[in-house]
Amino acid sequence: MAIEDAVSAQFKDEVPAFAKPTFERLRRARHSAQYLDPSAPPLTAADAEWAIGKAKEALSGVRALLAASPPGRFGYSSGRGSLSRGRLVIVA
């Protein structure tokens, strides 16, 4: 959940699909689908369509962020030597 909190705090304004309530709804739906919870309301086709739409919005938002400000290696901008505006940079 720490990663979810960090992503939501940093990017929710630019990628609304990363807002905390959206993450929470997706997490609860995934948990309900993965682990049988008889007390949970059943998932519907509308729930799946909503989740797919949010996933597409998130992907589109991330692509736009990366196009506007591509991450550099180890947190530095490519070729400029300056920090990449305090963005979360993941190095694999």
Side-chain angles (χ1 to χ4, degrees):
M1 297 202 52
I3 293 173
E4 174 185 317
D5 291 341
V7 169
S8 181
Q10 290 183 47
F11 300 111
K12 68 180 179 209
D13 293 334
E14 293 151 303
V15 184
F18 287 160
K20 191 68 176 161
T22 302
F23 269 127
E24 184 63 18
R25 183 173 170 189
L26 286 166
R27 186 192 65 75
R28 285 178 189 239
R30 184 217 35 94
H31 187 273
S32 179
Q34 189 171 1
Y35 305 103
L36 179 60
D37 182 0
S39 65
L43 296 174
T44 65
D47 294 324
E49 289 172 10
W50 176 85
I52 290 168
K54 289 299 172 186
K56 287 179 178 179
E57 287 175 25
L59 180 58
S60 177
V62 168
R63 284 182 174 153
L65 280 174
L66 290 173
S69 179
R73 188 173 176 147
F74 304 113
Y76 288 92
S77 298
S78 300
R80 291 188 215 119
S82 62
L83 289 173
S84 59
R85 293 189 273 154
R87 294 285 188 197
L88 174 68
V89 177
I90 299 172
V91 179

